[in-house]
Amino acid sequence: MSSLLPLPSAPARERADACPGALQTHAAADGGLARVRVPGGTLTADQLRTLAAAARDLGNGHLELTSRGNLQLRGLPEGAEAGLGDRLAAAGLLPSATHERVRNVLASTLSGRTPGGHLDVRPWVRGFDAGLSGDPLLAGLPGRFLATLDDGRGDVAGLHGDVGLLALAPDTVALTLGGVDAGLRARPADAVALALAAARAFLAERAAQGSAAWRLAELADGPARVAARLGGPVAAGAPLPAAPVTGPVGAAGQLDGRTALLGVVPLGRLSADQADLLARLAAEVQLTPWRSVVVPDLAEDDVDDAAVELHRTGIVFDEASPWLQVTTCAGRPGCARSLADVRADATAAVTTRALPADGARQHWVGCERRCGRPQGRVVDVVATPTGYRIEED
Ligand code: SF4
């Protein structure tokens, strides 16, 4: 298995992960935090309205976009998870109470709608999610487990999924394991079954190693050993496409002649009103790992009005905007560890054009944990007791 490129050594885990879910919330300094998994980032208009109402009625009025294309509600009062769970289940956002935390699935943005991919991964998203949620064994996956389903455009394959599918050609799919090409291949119709088998093989290998690993790459020789459980490599693994540090913004022409709008949500903080507006503009939206939203299927006559309405609420379509450079962790007041209100400080730096390392992709954090750090080349802006420290790659 020398063809697999090694990743940096990973920490040995001694306990199960404590990733929050919609039912198993995290007690943050500003109240309960619920994370709602959104496989493939796809939400219908009705689901968006449900989430907006839940954020207003139960939370702090906002939805947070995560780097896995999921959503978080914050500021929940104690005991709110039962009511939230009922709302989510009624909207089809909680198909399995036992598997809700493991449904982390990133899919290529606008797959099947815009050129650039070899195939449409939307059926893979539905098939993988159904297979995952329907297998009691897979409820034992860690909440950090991530699947990436890439149609060949190379936008999510490099985001270090534990298992992943990458279309190499219309009839050939590579299995990725722990962020590397495992040298296993499948036809598109068989690809979801292979990815699900890889998830089971991860659990089997983890048990065999007596490990509590949260990620496949944390296992000793994880990609190679999981690949061997699946029959070993049949091809030389190739380097994966590098993950983009920011996603596309602006307007994209669809294969069917319609248009999609792609806009960044500053600091990933989507208000309930913005969510309602998105629900009014489209039957379905897609969330991306770059804290942006995609509004697809717009008729030519509707594109400008939709862009203006969204822009008025603060959604950014200008690829030169400094908002594309900046992400933050939660910081104060949500996180008790934080030494600063990083969102307020980053916002002030953007609005006064006083970003450190201007022009560079930067992630502001309230402490050394550096939660939510994006993949790729990023400048860290780390709060300290005496101000921010800038760390360049
Ligand atoms: S990086 Fe530190 S301050 Fe920021 S959310 Fe994580 S633990 Fe909290």
Side-chain angles (χ1 to χ4, degrees):
M1 296 299 293
S2 57
S3 59
L4 299 188
L5 301 173
L7 291 171
S9 61
R13 305 291 185 190
E14 292 175 354
R15 58 176 175 80
D17 76 280
C19 270
L23 302 174
Q24 181 184 313
T25 55
H26 165 70
D30 59 349
L33 182 156
R35 187 172 299 158
V36 182
R37 267 61 179 192
V38 186
T42 302
L43 289 167
T44 66
D46 283 346
Q47 289 172 336
L48 264 174
R49 287 188 199 97
T50 296
L51 288 160
R56 252 189 222 107
D57 300 346
L58 305 173
N60 65 4
H62 285 81
L63 299 162
E64 289 180 352
L65 279 57
T66 78
S67 60
R68 291 173 163 205
N70 293 321
L71 284 172
Q72 294 182 162
L73 292 91
R74 299 190 80 100
L76 299 167
E78 209 174 321
E81 54 271 19
L84 175 63
D86 289 345
R87 291 177 185 228
L88 297 177
L93 287 162
L94 196 58
S96 166
T98 49
H99 292 68
E100 58 128 343
R101 295 188 320 122
V102 305
R103 299 170 61 234
N104 300 300
V105 183
L106 286 175
S108 287
T109 302
L110 284 168
S111 184
R113 282 191 167 102
T114 57
H118 295 301
L119 41 74
D120 183 349
V121 299
R122 288 176 290 179
W124 283 357
V125 174
R126 292 189 287 273
F128 185 83
D129 187 34
L132 189 80
S133 300
D135 184 340
L137 181 74
L138 296 180
L141 288 168
R144 305 213 177 196
F145 189 83
L146 174 67
T148 57
L149 306 179
D150 194 310
D151 66 6
R153 71 186 65 209
D155 58 344
V156 297
L159 291 174
H160 291 186
D162 295 282
V163 304
L165 298 173
L166 169 63
L168 301 177
D171 60 352
T172 308
V173 181
L175 177 73
T176 65
L177 294 172
V180 297
D181 178 357
L184 288 158
R185 301 289 182 261
R187 291 174 302 166
D190 303 324
V192 165
L194 180 60
L196 291 166
R200 292 184 200 101
F202 160 64
L203 288 177
E205 181 61 29
R206 191 174 76 148
Q209 293 190 18
S211 165
W214 297 348
R215 306 296 309 273
L216 191 148
E218 294 172 7
L219 291 174
D221 211 12
R225 292 199 189 174
V226 171
R229 285 178 178 271
L230 298 168
V234 297
L240 298 184
V245 181
T246 59
V249 294
Q254 297 186 189
L255 295 163
D256 62 5
R258 293 185 287 180
T259 298
L261 286 173
L262 302 95
V264 164
V265 179
L267 305 186
R269 210 167 133 82
L270 187 75
S271 71
D273 288 349
Q274 286 175 314
D276 279 335
L277 173 59
L278 289 167
R280 188 161 59 72
L281 293 173
E284 178 182 288
V285 303
Q286 186 177 13
L287 313 177
T288 81
W290 304 281
R291 282 134 173 138
S292 56
V293 290
V294 182
V295 183
D297 303 338
L298 294 168
E300 190 181 344
D301 289 348
D302 298 333
V303 174
D304 287 348
D305 288 348
V308 167
E309 279 198 85
L310 290 165
H311 176 67
R312 276 194 191 126
T313 72
I315 292 184
V316 174
F317 295 104
D318 174 8
E319 63 184 1
S321 167
W323 282 120
L324 271 68
Q325 299 168 20
V326 181
T327 49
T328 71
C329 74
R332 281 184 194 156
C335 180
R337 288 176 179 268
S338 186
L339 297 171
D341 184 343
V342 290
R343 285 179 167 160
D345 293 343
T347 299
V350 168
T351 51
T352 59
R353 300 268 166 177
L355 282 174
D358 194 15
R361 182 75 171 80
Q362 50 198 273
H363 187 58
W364 292 51
V365 290
C367 80
E368 298 291 345
R369 278 197 177 188
R370 303 172 198 224
C371 299
R373 190 180 194 275
Q375 303 279 343
R377 239 181 123 71
V378 174
V379 172
D380 293 299
V381 184
V382 185
T384 75
T386 53
Y388 285 95
R389 186 177 72 247
I390 315 300
E391 289 182 18
E392 309 211 8
D393 269 347

